[in-house]
Amino acid sequence: VGVKPLSGPIGGEFGGGLVWINRPGQRSFEVRWAPNDTVADLKDVIRGQSELPYNNQELRCNGIPVEPDDLPLDEWLQQAGGVAAAFQGQAPDIWVFDATDEDERDAAYPPIVLPEALSEGQKAFKTVVWGLTVFAVVFVVTQALGVNPFIEKSGKIFDTQDMQFVIPEDPGVDI
């Protein structure tokens, strides 16, 4: 990819292909790849053309991330463009976004959302919710097995033995 000029047939049994690289607010350029080139090779070419650092590159094609870096471009082409595109060697356009630039992340569709660290309060809330969930699961499972340590040995959560129920003898008669 981009290291040496490639010539000869592309696509089909030969492999390799062409792809347009687009970036918001910058000039697009075409890249030709060889049969064994990967997404990482493509990112190296993009770094050389746009001076965008390798780790900051977010590649998207039709809204779907182009990843992982060790994915062969020929295999990616079959996933993104189908067999016809792979046979022709003509890939759908790839958009490159700077993952550290908020405006470029927002320009992507769907937007690129970076994971944010939880605050101390959110971590504490998460811990409490998980603790209550674990307690509830243990309570229900042990109750179902009949070995719940929180309930008396009668096995009943609410004992109705000493309660009196009034049931009318003839339900059709008004009282």
Side-chain angles (χ1 to χ4, degrees):
V1 172
V3 174
K4 60 181 189 248
L6 299 173
S7 62
I10 57 171
E13 64 186 69
F14 303 107
L18 301 169
V19 64
W20 276 97
I21 304 296
N22 305 302
R23 185 158 174 226
Q26 297 203 7
R27 187 178 193 118
S28 298
F29 57 94
E30 188 174 47
V31 175
R32 181 172 181 166
W33 76 84
N36 293 321
D37 288 340
T38 64
V39 172
D41 297 324
L42 183 61
K43 284 184 171 184
D44 283 337
V45 171
I46 294 169
R47 181 180 57 206
Q49 291 287 328
S50 67
E51 298 179 6
L52 180 61
Y54 183 93
N55 291 334
N56 293 359
Q57 295 177 26
E58 177 76 29
L59 277 58
R60 297 282 179 112
C61 177
N62 297 328
I64 300 170
V66 179
E67 55 188 10
D69 285 353
D70 61 350
L71 178 68
L73 289 172
D74 286 334
E75 189 177 319
W76 164 78
L77 179 57
Q78 287 184 356
Q79 295 172 6
V83 175
F87 184 74
Q88 296 171 351
Q90 184 62 44
D93 290 2
I94 291 180
W95 281 86
V96 180
F97 300 95
D98 183 349
T100 61
D101 184 348
E102 187 173 343
D103 291 335
E104 285 196 27
R105 284 196 318 267
D106 290 342
Y109 183 79
I112 300 167
V113 180
L114 298 178
E116 297 179 14
L118 296 177
S119 69
E120 291 301 318
Q122 291 170 326
K123 288 179 184 177
F125 179 76
K126 182 179 174 182
T127 302
V128 168
V129 168
W130 275 105
L132 291 173
T133 303
V134 167
F135 176 77
V137 168
V138 168
F139 184 88
V140 169
V141 169
T142 56
Q143 184 68 19
L145 295 174
V147 294
N148 192 323
F150 305 107
I151 302 296
E152 293 181 23
K153 295 297 181 194
S154 69
K156 297 179 181 177
I157 294 175
F158 187 71
D159 192 3
T160 58
Q161 188 174 16
D162 296 330
M163 296 181 78
Q164 293 183 359
F165 295 98
V166 178
I167 302 173
E169 292 181 20
D170 188 2
V173 177
D174 291 333
I175 299 179

